[in-house]
Amino acid sequence: MRVGLDVGGTKTDAVAVDGSGEIVGRVRRPTGWGPDAVVQGIIETTFALADEAGFSISDIASVGVGIPGMVDSASGRVLHAVNLGVESLDIAERARPVIDAPFAVENDVKAAALGAASLRPGDASMAYLNLGTGVAAGVITDGRIWRGMHGSAGEVGHISVDPHGRVCGCGQRGCVETLCGGGALARAWGRPGELPVLDIFDAAEAGDPVAAGLRADLARGAAAAVRILVLSVDVETVVIGGGLTALGARLEADIVQTLRADAENSAFMRSLRLDERIELLPTGSPVAALGAALLVAAPVECTIPVKETAAHG
Amino acid sequence: MRVGLDVGGTKTDAVAVDGSGEIVGRVRRPTGWGPDAVVQGIIETTFALADEAGFSISDIASVGVGIPGMVDSASGRVLHAVNLGVESLDIAERARPVIDAPFAVENDVKAAALGAASLRPGDASMAYLNLGTGVAAGVITDGRIWRGMHGSAGEVGHISVDPHGRVCGCGQRGCVETLCGGGALARAWGRPGELPVLDIFDAAEAGDPVAAGLRADLARGAAAAVRILVLSVDVETVVIGGGLTALGARLEADIVQTLRADAENSAFMRSLRLDERIELLPTGSPVAALGAALLVAAPVECTIPVKETAAHG
């Protein structure tokens, strides 16, 4: 049994994947703050998952962890996971005395990309674009995570697409993330609410011009990210996931419409058929946990199971 | 002997490369217009090169052709090479009755990327950014051209980075190419002259505010392309070539300065050290012809010679 955990800022999503690549169990639990709580949470969630899916800890073939932070690909050490209060943490070293299995750790968006790719075994390459509090993408080619030289492959959230745009948390102006990041949109909206981006969409539909502008920004930023991924890496498909997919069909329609409008004056853009190359994941899809389960431990090398890639041919 | 030809809009640059990967001969001749003239030019230039370097046509192991247009990677057919008056052309089929050697054809920027990479055998990945009349990049990873799914990998020239920017030849607004393409800059400058971008630089130094703005645009566009390549593909190095490198140290200084200024407010951008990851080729460097010579014919698969990649380890 392979276990995959997506350790998010507020909750941890865990799945158990059997030898044929099927998800046979899933649990979600709150995530703790700081390295001790994160490790304890990973252990407890794994035990809860074993309980839920009816397997024992000794049946675990591997544990994969997706985590929002930098992951040193050689050592598996997590660095600067600021949303979890983690500066530097070797999860494997800390958890292995309790769960005696190989651990693999990966950045959560890259893990999600692997999970999303495993659901599309026909694609030789794809990108997973995560629209959450922040914005980043993971690129998969030939069933493997494309990390780049320093792990910044797919960091399209911090490419500036408007020199006069809003200042980004990263210090630049007009980053893709300032347009389509949930955090940036909530700050620009500035009104209280549990789900500010949902409020923006509703207010836009009720005629609020500020909301309409921000809603257009979201589609514009996502469209820019898709364009960048196709015109740099040239992936076949861009699968869109993350918290903002809770907006569902409304978000997808906005992005498709924006891509089509942008292509109206450009035969070159039309030739790329970007509107046909995106796909929105259903909200709550456990792609990051699934991808984490598919990580191969030590060395951190990532492959889609043979069953899946066999379908390529 | 391997022959490589860079068939440009006005001239064809050809090199002969021996078994150890060294350039042992080079000739440059004007390029003709239309498919017949293009094929005839390739044949004549190859004969001139053999004459110059002292080998016979029967010594040719392969002929590689880099050409500004789309190249179907399966068939090697050139499509839409509008600057050469070529709509569709099978160079190999037409030239092989005269030069009996395997032919390989590739887009010129992708060929140049391969050539530039062969000069940097230590890099596991790099991009070649061509600043010419237009702007495009080629990406090399593990010694091979990264084509992407539909050959649009590296087409960073047509990523919009300013919604209020100038209209691009492609129909979009604010494309990277509108900022740092020689054609777009010449149009924006609008004054007669043999070398408009050189005129822009000189006029900027003499205090002309329009020229200063365009000069800043050039650096801004090139910096944006570098940022996009690192934050999408994450190559180690971006090697800059193309006609605009005739500006030499002035251009390099402008780009470095722009990258540094952009990083001033962003710890994230500083961490990427983009200013240290660019390199300007000497003007007239025959990277496209060299890369064409390194193309491997049928199937169009492209590798740096073993001698070079051996230095990787």
Side-chain angles (χ1 to χ4, degrees):
Chain A
M1 196 67 69
R2 303 174 84 163
V3 171
L5 298 105
D6 171 24
V7 181
T10 55
K11 64 177 194 306
T12 294
D13 188 9
V15 297
V17 172
D18 69 12
S20 66
E22 294 300 313
I23 293 176
V24 295
R26 181 179 188 190
V27 298
R28 270 166 288 193
R29 293 169 63 104
T31 302
W33 174 261
D36 293 343
V38 164
V39 172
Q40 196 54 35
I42 287 169
I43 292 170
E44 286 175 11
T45 306
T46 304
F47 275 82
L49 180 67
D51 221 41
E52 152 81 19
F55 61 88
S56 74
I57 297 299
S58 63
D59 291 335
I60 297 175
S62 64
V63 181
V65 180
I67 198 159
M70 281 178 58
V71 177
D72 180 88
S73 60
S75 65
R77 183 173 279 275
V78 180
L79 302 169
H80 316 304
V82 286
N83 292 335
L84 301 173
V86 169
E87 185 47 39
S88 175
L89 172 64
D90 186 333
I91 291 171
E93 184 187 67
R94 298 277 299 272
R96 250 201 231 121
V98 186
I99 301 168
D100 182 25
F103 275 70
V105 184
E106 185 51 274
N107 167 271
D108 58 346
V109 174
K110 291 186 171 70
L114 192 66
S118 77
L119 301 174
R120 304 180 60 85
D123 286 0
S125 81
M126 55 83 71
Y128 168 79
L129 174 63
N130 194 74
L131 302 179
T133 306
V135 176
V139 176
I140 303 290
T141 149
D142 293 328
R144 291 164 65 191
I145 297 172
W146 177 277
R147 303 185 54 82
M149 294 308 293
H150 301 282
S152 71
E155 287 288 351
V156 296
H158 297 292
I159 292 173
S160 169
V161 291
D162 186 351
H164 308 291
R166 288 185 284 271
V167 172
C168 182
C170 82
Q172 299 183 98
R173 194 177 275 280
C175 289
V176 164
E177 186 168 300
T178 64
L179 293 169
C180 62
L185 286 168
R187 276 194 299 280
W189 180 234
R191 306 182 202 178
E194 274 291 286
L195 300 164
V197 183
L198 200 61
D199 293 346
I200 291 169
F201 268 58
D202 291 342
E205 272 165 27
D208 182 311
V210 174
L214 293 174
R215 180 174 173 172
D217 282 349
L218 169 45
R220 192 153 66 89
V226 171
R227 244 188 331 262
I228 289 168
L229 288 163
V230 169
L231 290 176
S232 56
V233 193
D234 189 15
V235 291
E236 183 65 53
T237 311
V238 179
V239 173
I240 301 173
L244 300 198
T245 56
L247 295 161
R250 290 196 287 176
L251 175 61
E252 187 163 23
D254 277 13
I255 299 173
V256 165
Q257 200 169 28
T258 302
L259 288 168
R260 285 187 189 151
D262 291 346
E264 246 166 43
N265 298 317
S266 173
F268 174 64
M269 291 308 294
R270 282 198 298 281
S271 76
L272 299 174
R273 302 171 299 97
L274 296 180
D275 56 328
E276 300 168 20
R277 289 165 78 174
I278 64 163
E279 186 196 308
L280 217 70
L281 285 174
T283 182
S285 186
V287 282
L290 173 60
L294 302 179
L295 293 168
V296 176
V300 183
E301 178 70 12
C302 317
T303 54
I304 295 171
V306 174
K307 190 205 78 158
E308 303 284 356
T309 49
H312 272 246
Chain B
M1 196 67 68
R2 301 174 86 164
V3 170
L5 299 105
D6 171 23
V7 181
T10 54
K11 66 177 193 305
T12 294
D13 188 9
V15 297
V17 173
D18 69 12
S20 66
E22 294 299 314
I23 294 176
V24 295
R26 182 178 185 188
V27 298
R28 270 166 287 193
R29 291 169 66 104
T31 302
W33 173 262
D36 294 343
V38 164
V39 172
Q40 196 54 34
I42 287 169
I43 293 170
E44 286 176 10
T45 306
T46 304
F47 275 81
L49 180 68
D51 222 39
E52 151 82 20
F55 60 89
S56 75
I57 296 298
S58 62
D59 290 336
I60 297 175
S62 64
V63 180
V65 180
I67 198 159
M70 279 180 58
V71 176
D72 181 88
S73 60
S75 66
R77 184 173 278 275
V78 180
L79 303 168
H80 316 304
V82 286
N83 292 335
L84 302 173
V86 168
E87 185 48 39
S88 175
L89 172 63
D90 187 333
I91 291 171
E93 186 187 67
R94 298 277 298 273
R96 251 202 231 119
V98 186
I99 301 169
D100 183 25
F103 274 70
V105 184
E106 183 52 273
N107 167 271
D108 59 345
V109 173
K110 290 187 173 69
L114 192 66
S118 77
L119 302 175
R120 303 180 61 84
D123 286 0
S125 80
M126 55 83 71
Y128 168 80
L129 174 63
N130 194 75
L131 302 180
T133 306
V135 176
V139 176
I140 303 290
T141 151
D142 294 328
R144 291 164 62 192
I145 298 171
W146 176 272
R147 302 184 55 82
M149 294 309 293
H150 301 282
S152 72
E155 288 288 352
V156 296
H158 297 291
I159 292 173
S160 168
V161 291
D162 186 351
H164 308 291
R166 288 186 283 272
V167 173
C168 183
C170 81
Q172 299 184 97
R173 195 177 273 279
C175 288
V176 164
E177 186 169 299
T178 63
L179 293 169
C180 62
L185 287 168
R187 276 193 299 280
W189 179 235
R191 306 183 203 177
E194 274 292 287
L195 300 163
V197 183
L198 200 60
D199 293 346
I200 290 169
F201 268 58
D202 291 343
E205 271 165 26
D208 182 311
V210 173
L214 293 174
R215 181 174 173 172
D217 282 351
L218 169 45
R220 193 153 66 89
V226 170
R227 244 189 331 263
I228 289 167
L229 288 164
V230 169
L231 290 176
S232 57
V233 193
D234 190 14
V235 289
E236 183 65 55
T237 310
V238 180
V239 173
I240 301 174
L244 300 198
T245 55
L247 294 161
R250 290 196 286 177
L251 176 61
E252 187 163 25
D254 277 13
I255 299 172
V256 166
Q257 199 170 30
T258 302
L259 288 169
R260 285 188 188 150
D262 290 347
E264 247 165 42
N265 299 316
S266 173
F268 174 63
M269 291 309 292
R270 281 196 300 281
S271 77
L272 299 174
R273 303 171 298 98
L274 296 180
D275 55 330
E276 301 167 19
R277 289 166 78 174
I278 65 164
E279 187 195 307
L280 218 71
L281 286 175
T283 182
S285 186
V287 284
L290 173 60
L294 301 179
L295 293 168
V296 176
V300 183
E301 177 72 12
C302 317
T303 55
I304 295 172
V306 174
K307 189 206 77 157
E308 303 285 355
T309 49
H312 271 244

